[in-house]
Amino acid sequence: MAQSFIIYTLLLSILIFCGWAYQSKKSIEIDFLNPFIVTIILSYTFICGMRFDVGVDYPIYLETFIDLRNYGISFFELSQEPGWIWIMKTFATNGFHYSLFFSLVAFIQITLILYAIKKHPQLLACFLFVFLCNNWFCHYQNVLRQTITISVFLVLALRVCQMKFIWYLLICIGCFFIHRTAIIMLLLYPFLRFPMQKFISPIVFTAIFIVCSILGLKYDIFIMLTKLPIFGELLVAADYASYATGDKLETGLQQSVGLGYVLKIVINVIAILSYNKYKSWDRYIPNLSSIFFVYFIGTCINALSPTSLLTRPNWYLLILQIPIFTITIKYYLHTTKCLAAKQIYAYFMIVAMILSFYTSTVIKPEGSNMEYHFWWEDNKSYNL
């Protein structure tokens, strides 16, 4: 526990400090050669790359890597996309240590996160904070393939107004060879491209979200969807057929109402209710109304269906929590119109996210297998 606390606190401190220091320079955009940005990338890459057995899916990725190194083939290779396997096989068959492969993945992750906010350096520190503390850091240590594709989607979502559809399409096709769920990126394009302002009513949306949260405690809409004939075909297409056993379908069906659950609901309520206040901040994100609309749909789906099987495809929508929560916090902290009493909303979100971060990484790391170990601490033959 002590090592996890030190490592994760160090990572959080370095990223937030460097992000704050860089945005204080008031640059027009993020310079990836700046010492502060280089420090962010190297710190994240080292800590995430040098880890061992951190993340629920880590053992599968490691076993695949070891099999590819020793035999040139792996059982898990059959269930993973060719682009991903090519990258892993390139490292494994050329004698690279597995920590270098995980370092590459971490490097890609943090570079994409920074690239998403490249044009808006004034949001950098808060953006990194939300990424780390709103559970995404844990997801990024677990689901490696999909976190790369959702990071790409985050970049596209924030830049879709400045790019032609053909480029969007080609990037989505490329991501498909990393994770099949990238097809969802294409389905979301119309929602991102066209303004959704006239469809948004913060009060109505808040009421809908609360109803979804209440219903999700007792019913899981995903279990109902499993009765549809097309369900099996969609599972296979999305690479989730292996999850379609009865026990896994019901994972999370009995959603517990604890402090963490309540805090997440309150954070989302603040973000949704505050939309009319920060909607003018579309100078930072031109398609802010579209981003908000997709985020809201994903949040309601997540509330209605707490099972792990539907949660992962829904990450393409939920990843937009990062810019929405960032804008919300920045608005309440740095807008002169906000009275000191209203700034408590931002402080509440910050404290709630910090509690969530340390609960999942230090206090109860077993839920996401987040107890930190360096690769040289393992006593197995992997480090030979």
Side-chain angles (χ1 to χ4, degrees):
M1 177 181 292
Q3 178 167 279
S4 296
F5 176 79
I6 293 172
I7 293 296
Y8 293 132
T9 300
L10 184 63
L11 178 64
L12 179 62
S13 302
I14 291 175
L15 266 60
I16 301 306
F17 172 77
C18 289
W20 171 81
Y22 185 82
Q23 73 181 41
S24 298
K25 294 165 57 67
K26 302 187 183 301
S27 302
I28 298 177
E29 62 179 37
I30 291 177
D31 176 11
F32 283 83
L33 297 180
N34 181 274
F36 290 117
I37 302 301
V38 171
T39 301
I40 289 173
I41 294 174
L42 292 181
S43 300
Y44 183 92
T45 299
F46 177 81
I47 290 177
C48 298
M50 297 298 108
R51 75 188 194 277
F52 177 78
D53 197 24
V54 178
V56 176
D57 289 354
Y58 184 97
I60 295 178
Y61 290 119
L62 180 57
E63 187 172 343
T64 302
F65 186 95
I66 299 301
D67 287 345
L68 290 173
R69 169 190 283 181
N70 294 337
Y71 313 110
I73 192 171
S74 171
F75 170 78
F76 297 105
E77 181 179 357
L78 302 175
S79 62
Q80 298 180 25
E81 289 75 9
W84 174 262
I85 288 298
W86 179 81
I87 297 173
M88 185 177 286
K89 184 175 290 187
T90 299
F91 272 72
T93 57
N94 284 284
F96 291 103
H97 193 270
Y98 61 81
S99 63
L100 295 180
F101 169 74
F102 287 107
S103 295
L104 173 66
V105 174
F107 174 82
I108 294 173
Q109 290 175 339
I110 191 61
T111 301
L112 287 171
I113 290 296
L114 291 172
Y115 196 75
I117 202 69
K118 179 180 179 181
K119 300 292 184 180
H120 316 291
Q122 65 278 9
L123 302 176
L124 180 58
C126 192
F127 200 84
L128 290 172
F129 171 79
V130 175
F131 164 67
L132 287 173
C133 295
N134 193 42
N135 289 331
W136 287 107
F137 175 69
C138 294
H139 297 330
Y140 272 56
Q141 307 314 300
N142 182 11
V143 189
L144 302 187
R145 291 177 294 156
Q146 191 178 351
T147 52
I148 290 177
T149 58
I150 65 173
S151 296
V152 173
F153 176 71
L154 181 61
V155 174
L156 295 178
L158 295 175
R159 292 168 174 257
V160 69
C161 293
Q162 292 83 39
M163 67 189 311
K164 295 181 178 180
F165 174 71
I166 184 62
W167 289 112
Y168 187 97
L169 175 62
L170 291 175
I171 293 173
C172 290
I173 292 174
C175 288
F176 184 80
F177 290 96
I178 300 297
H179 202 272
R180 295 186 185 96
T181 57
I183 190 68
I184 298 174
M185 297 162 62
L186 282 176
L187 300 178
L188 292 174
Y189 178 80
F191 298 96
L192 294 172
R193 190 64 183 84
F194 303 105
M196 294 291 176
Q197 182 64 48
K198 63 181 180 180
F199 300 107
I200 298 175
S201 172
I203 295 178
V204 174
F205 276 23
T206 301
I208 293 173
F209 169 67
I210 292 175
V211 170
C212 290
S213 300
I214 294 173
L215 290 176
L217 292 173
K218 189 173 183 181
Y219 307 102
D220 193 316
I221 191 175
F222 180 75
I223 299 300
M224 303 176 187
L225 294 176
T226 61
K227 299 177 182 179
L228 298 176
I230 197 175
F231 170 74
E233 298 178 14
L234 290 175
L235 276 182
V236 174
D239 194 27
Y240 287 108
S242 61
Y243 291 86
T245 58
D247 58 330
K248 291 182 180 178
L249 284 177
E250 297 181 1
T251 298
L253 184 57
Q254 302 299 323
Q255 177 77 345
S256 60
V257 185
L259 178 60
Y261 181 78
V262 173
L263 290 177
K264 289 178 182 178
I265 289 181
V266 176
I267 288 174
N268 281 291
V269 167
I270 293 174
I272 296 171
L273 270 180
S274 302
Y275 174 74
N276 280 341
K277 298 181 183 299
Y278 60 72
K279 65 181 181 181
S280 61
W281 284 38
D282 53 9
R283 64 183 182 274
Y284 293 134
I285 304 175
N287 59 331
L288 182 57
S289 65
S290 304
I291 295 288
F292 178 86
F293 187 83
V294 175
Y295 144 76
F296 172 74
I297 298 299
T299 300
C300 289
I301 292 175
N302 188 60
L304 280 171
S305 186
T307 62
S308 61
L309 191 54
L310 190 58
T311 296
R312 289 189 179 184
N314 193 40
W315 281 355
Y316 288 95
L317 289 74
L318 285 179
I319 191 67
L320 298 183
Q321 288 178 338
I322 299 179
I324 293 299
F325 290 172
T326 297
I327 290 288
T328 304
I329 293 173
K330 288 284 288 186
Y331 172 82
Y332 282 115
L333 286 182
H334 299 287
T335 301
T336 55
K337 293 180 180 180
C338 288
L339 301 175
K342 289 187 177 181
Q343 291 183 347
I344 194 172
Y345 299 143
Y347 294 128
F348 175 88
M349 294 177 71
I350 291 171
V351 172
M353 289 183 193
I354 292 175
L355 285 174
S356 175
F357 176 74
Y358 280 106
T359 297
S360 58
T361 59
V362 179
I363 300 174
K364 293 183 178 180
E366 60 275 4
S368 300
N369 196 34
M370 289 297 294
E371 184 175 354
Y372 193 88
H373 307 280
F374 288 103
W375 66 261
W376 53 80
E377 294 181 63
D378 84 276
N379 296 317
K380 301 179 182 179
S381 59
Y382 296 138
N383 55 6
L384 296 178

